[in-house]
Amino acid sequence: QWPVLDGEDVRHDGILVSGHGVTVEKMHVKRFRGNGIMLQGGNNFSILNNWVEGYSFYGIFPQYGKNGLVANNIISGVADAGIYAGMCENVDIIANETFNDTLGIEVEDSLDMLVEGNYVHHNSIGVIIDLVPGLPVKRAEKTVVRNNFILDNNAKPNSTSPLLSSLHEGVGVLIRAHDHGSI
């Protein structure tokens, strides 16, 4: 059995990691108000075989990470992005399942990313690759999105965020201000 971390809809973050060479594996993280699993500034990290569900802002959230792997996770019922990789470099997002989230997978202001072999379904938007102005990283380029199963992303957003409410459901892949990527 997996260890269960239950935020009971009142605690902020389930797992918060800051460091290099870290692996978070086989955890069941649910009902946190902030993030399910968050990694800040870590290099050579792995987030593997976890189950994240519930109220979280982001399900799995590597930020400022380099040389990472997010693989074989299940994320559902998240208010914003099931997997959100922000301001990262060389992170592979592989073989995850995201469903019933507002955004299935979001790669924002990141370089040299790979989104492959994921099952992204019943979200509002399946995959979004974007560059958001005003963040410290000013580039978004060289993201490859390939061999994913992206279907039935027609759900109404579960977020009250003004930014997310301006997006329209029913989008498989959305690319905004990203350079030199491929789908």
Side-chain angles (χ1 to χ4, degrees):
Q1 290 192 359
W2 294 355
V4 177
L5 296 175
D6 189 344
E8 300 174 339
D9 296 326
V10 295
R11 293 177 187 84
H12 190 67
D13 291 319
I15 297 172
L16 180 59
V17 177
S18 181
H20 304 303
V22 173
T23 298
V24 177
E25 187 170 13
K26 293 186 179 175
M27 301 295 292
H28 182 183
V29 181
K30 63 182 185 177
R31 302 187 323 160
F32 283 88
R33 295 179 59 87
N35 305 295
I37 300 171
M38 182 176 189
L39 176 121
Q40 290 186 313
N43 297 336
N44 306 310
F45 67 88
S46 298
I47 302 173
L48 309 170
N49 304 305
N50 298 286
W51 179 13
V52 180
E53 64 176 327
Y55 188 75
S56 303
F57 191 64
Y58 296 128
I60 295 176
F61 180 17
Q63 182 183 42
Y64 297 110
K66 287 187 179 181
N67 306 319
L69 176 62
V70 178
N72 300 310
N73 300 284
I74 300 170
I75 307 98
S76 67
V78 174
D80 195 306
I83 299 172
Y84 170 91
M87 296 164 282
C88 290
E89 187 173 342
N90 193 36
V91 175
D92 294 343
I93 301 170
I94 299 174
N96 300 281
E97 181 179 5
T98 66
F99 60 98
N100 296 332
D101 306 317
T102 298
L103 308 173
I105 298 171
E106 181 175 10
V107 175
E108 184 176 276
D109 295 37
S110 295
L111 310 168
D112 298 310
M113 305 288 283
L114 174 63
V115 179
E116 182 171 27
N118 298 285
Y119 180 31
V120 183
H121 61 98
H122 297 96
N123 305 289
S124 299
I125 296 177
V127 176
I128 182 169
I129 310 299
D130 58 352
L131 174 65
V132 175
L135 294 176
V137 174
K138 306 296 183 202
R139 294 170 44 202
E141 56 191 55
K142 299 180 187 170
T143 293
V144 174
V145 178
R146 65 181 179 212
N147 302 322
N148 296 283
F149 295 94
I150 303 170
L151 58 124
D152 294 324
N153 292 287
N154 299 311
K156 295 287 181 198
N158 11 333
S159 175
T160 57
S161 161
L163 175 63
L164 291 176
S165 64
S166 70
L167 299 174
H168 297 286
E169 67 274 359
V171 176
V173 178
L174 175 63
I175 301 170
R176 297 189 305 185
H178 185 276
D179 294 322
H180 310 293
S182 68
I183 293 185

